[in-house]
Amino acid sequence: MKKGRGRTSRIRRRKLSKSFQFRGVNESYKPEFIELRKWLKDRKFEDTNLIPASFPGTGRGLMSRTSLREGQVIISLPESCLLTTDTVIRSYLGAYVAKWRPPLSPLLALCTFLVAEKHAGDRSPWKPYLEILPKTYTCPVCLEPEVPLFSEAVERVFSYSALLWAWCTVNTRAVYVARRRRQCFSAEPDTCALAPYLDLLNHSPGVQVKAAFNEETRCYEIRTSSSCRRHEEVFICYGPHDNQRLLLEYGFVAARNPHACVYVSQDILVKFLPSTDKQMNKKISILKDHDFIENLTFGWDGPSWRLLTALKLLCLEAEEFTCWKKVLLGEIISDTNEKTSLDIAQKICQYFIEETNAVLQKVSYMKDTEGALVSQLSLVETLWTEELKILQASAETLNSLQTACT
């Protein structure tokens, strides 16, 4: 048998091929990252464990050069590298910001600084960081209205598009670092800090990390709660967000996101209930009073307990209405009530499936006719496709529940 042709060799090649699917392509050689590392080193950051790379599926991120152990510090960024409102106040803009009335919010102050520094170009001391920031964003506020789902003259420098870019930069990339209240700012909490290099880390809903500013080391540190193999992408978690929140705040959608869900509004609830129910207004009022009218959802494992509970209360017969408190406590009132509420849940779920399919057909048509919007439409298509998968999973669960009831 020739060398490398046996079963063991084939297994080894398959494992190697599979591991390469998750590996990134090193981008640390690119001029912008070389300049960024020099800039960071001047500010006392000398981490060599993570390097910028391009990954299939997530795009640009950070790759580990060595295996990471559970509990190990992923990255420790010195305070001197953070861009905060302290940076703004110490800059040439500080005097203007301090005198502005009404006072600026901390977030708007950061946005103003970013726009001014970007316009300064080579003269900006923050140029190496600004060069690696995205040129555009995919947050809904930046999408075109057609997509189904914001010594030159000052007005040319601080244009709407420039402010939009700066706002998205802060909103999508800032970490939480609480600052002391300054009188020159509005009363909004001052908690945003831009963290060069660290903000290259991408999100994964299944990852657990501990992130905070270390008062002793004066560094912003991220510590992993799981291991990571060499040459794999290093992820952090932005929080237990559903896909709508991820798209709204960060401009992307996570596939098979365990926190993803489809929300059911009050209007949809009432749409599938008998219009002859004289107690309907009272039932809605009870749900509102007990905080059961919001956050009603379909998820991967079916309708949420809150949604089913709200439907059970809304489906109470006139002679059962006095039992509404028991419904909110999770008690079963009658077999009829259980079955009726599941019927309504199925109708709502099917309605959403039909509506979602209609939107996906519209998006598909627009992708064929609106060439300039293809990338934006593809993002929206991903969101609706994920929601369709959730609804289909919920429909299967409801079918099983109905079978169990009968």
Side-chain angles (χ1 to χ4, degrees):
M1 183 180 293
K2 292 183 179 181
K3 184 178 180 181
R5 296 288 182 86
R7 180 172 178 271
T8 302
S9 181
R10 289 197 299 271
I11 293 173
R12 187 182 299 114
R13 285 198 299 271
R14 282 198 295 269
K15 287 183 177 179
L16 188 61
S17 175
K18 187 175 181 180
S19 67
F20 270 105
Q21 294 176 8
F22 302 99
R23 290 190 177 187
V25 178
N26 189 343
E27 292 192 347
S28 61
Y29 66 89
K30 291 188 174 181
E32 61 268 29
F33 287 118
I34 293 174
E35 290 302 312
L36 178 64
R37 292 304 294 253
K38 290 179 180 177
W39 182 84
L40 289 167
K41 187 175 182 180
D42 290 340
R43 293 168 179 252
K44 310 304 180 186
F45 176 72
E46 298 191 24
D47 178 85
T48 58
N49 191 44
L50 303 179
I51 57 174
S54 178
F55 296 88
T58 57
R60 192 177 66 180
L62 289 179
M63 178 172 68
S64 177
R65 299 178 63 165
T66 61
S67 297
L68 297 176
R69 306 180 310 276
E70 181 179 339
Q72 183 176 342
V73 173
I74 298 175
I75 191 169
S76 180
L77 193 69
E79 187 176 21
S80 57
C81 299
L82 299 178
L83 197 167
T84 67
T85 51
D86 289 343
T87 311
V88 179
I89 294 300
R90 290 195 301 264
S91 74
Y92 56 93
L93 286 178
Y96 300 99
V97 170
K99 292 186 292 186
W100 196 266
R101 294 293 178 272
L104 296 178
S105 69
L107 188 146
L108 189 55
L110 288 174
C111 291
T112 304
F113 182 81
L114 280 177
V115 172
E117 289 300 299
K118 186 180 182 183
H119 180 70
D122 292 340
R123 293 174 289 125
S124 171
W126 291 86
K127 181 176 183 282
Y129 174 53
L130 296 172
E131 285 295 300
I132 62 100
L133 289 175
K135 300 299 184 286
T136 59
Y137 287 91
T138 52
C139 302
V141 70
C142 296
L143 302 185
E144 295 298 325
E146 301 94 310
V147 179
L149 258 167
F150 277 68
S151 159
E152 291 178 303
V154 172
E155 58 269 22
R156 291 186 60 187
V157 177
F158 289 89
S159 63
Y160 176 73
S161 61
L163 177 61
L164 204 58
W165 169 83
W167 185 88
C168 287
T169 296
V170 176
N171 197 60
T172 63
R173 308 178 79 81
V175 297
Y176 182 94
V177 179
R179 317 302 294 180
R180 64 181 178 83
R181 170 81 193 286
R182 290 180 181 270
Q183 293 300 318
C184 61
F185 293 132
S186 65
E188 296 177 31
D190 187 352
T191 57
C192 290
L194 289 171
Y197 204 65
L198 181 149
D199 62 5
L200 290 172
L201 289 164
N202 286 320
H203 165 82
S204 175
V207 170
Q208 292 185 339
V209 297
K210 294 180 180 179
F213 184 77
N214 189 323
E215 295 290 347
E216 293 183 7
T217 63
R218 305 303 298 174
C219 293
Y220 189 90
E221 297 177 351
I222 296 180
R223 192 179 298 272
T224 179
S225 297
S226 56
S227 60
C228 179
R229 290 184 295 184
R230 181 187 180 192
H231 292 158
E232 284 189 348
E233 182 171 9
V234 180
F235 289 100
I236 58 175
C237 183
Y238 299 171
H241 303 316
D242 60 63
N243 278 336
Q244 292 185 22
R245 175 73 180 275
L246 287 176
L247 179 58
L248 182 65
E249 298 288 349
Y250 303 104
F252 67 88
V253 174
R256 295 298 300 181
N257 180 0
H259 309 296
C261 59
V262 177
Y263 290 91
V264 181
S265 66
Q266 176 183 328
D267 291 341
I268 297 297
L269 283 178
V270 176
K271 179 183 178 74
F272 292 92
L273 293 166
S275 57
T276 55
D277 189 344
K278 297 179 180 180
Q279 296 172 316
M280 185 56 63
N281 289 336
K282 179 61 177 176
K283 291 175 180 177
I284 293 293
S285 178
I286 290 173
L287 290 176
K288 288 182 177 179
D289 291 343
H290 291 80
D291 193 28
F292 265 87
I293 206 68
E294 302 289 341
N295 296 320
L296 309 179
T297 61
F298 289 105
W300 292 107
D301 54 355
S304 66
W305 178 82
R306 289 175 59 85
L307 174 56
L308 286 179
T309 300
L311 287 173
K312 288 176 185 179
L313 191 146
L314 293 170
C315 291
L316 287 173
E317 299 290 345
E319 62 273 15
E320 299 174 328
F321 184 63
T322 55
C323 300
W324 65 264
K325 288 185 179 179
K326 292 183 178 181
V327 174
L328 297 182
L329 292 174
E331 296 185 28
I332 295 176
I333 303 304
S334 68
D335 290 341
T336 301
N337 181 259
E338 293 288 308
K339 187 178 186 310
T340 304
S341 59
L342 286 176
D343 284 340
I344 300 298
Q346 281 186 307
K347 291 178 181 178
I348 294 174
C349 187
Q350 186 58 38
Y351 167 79
F352 276 133
I353 289 175
E354 292 172 1
E355 289 291 300
T356 303
N357 276 318
V359 173
L360 284 170
Q361 288 179 2
K362 180 180 179 181
V363 171
S364 179
Y365 172 78
M366 290 181 68
K367 287 176 71 176
D368 292 335
T369 58
E370 304 284 348
L373 300 176
V374 168
S375 60
Q376 295 183 11
L377 288 165
S378 295
L379 181 63
V380 173
E381 185 179 48
T382 302
L383 175 66
W384 285 102
T385 300
E386 287 297 305
E387 294 202 350
L388 180 60
K389 292 176 183 177
I390 292 170
L391 291 167
Q392 290 169 338
S394 287
E396 292 180 8
T397 300
L398 283 166
N399 285 334
S400 298
L401 291 173
Q402 280 285 36
T403 301
C405 274
T406 56

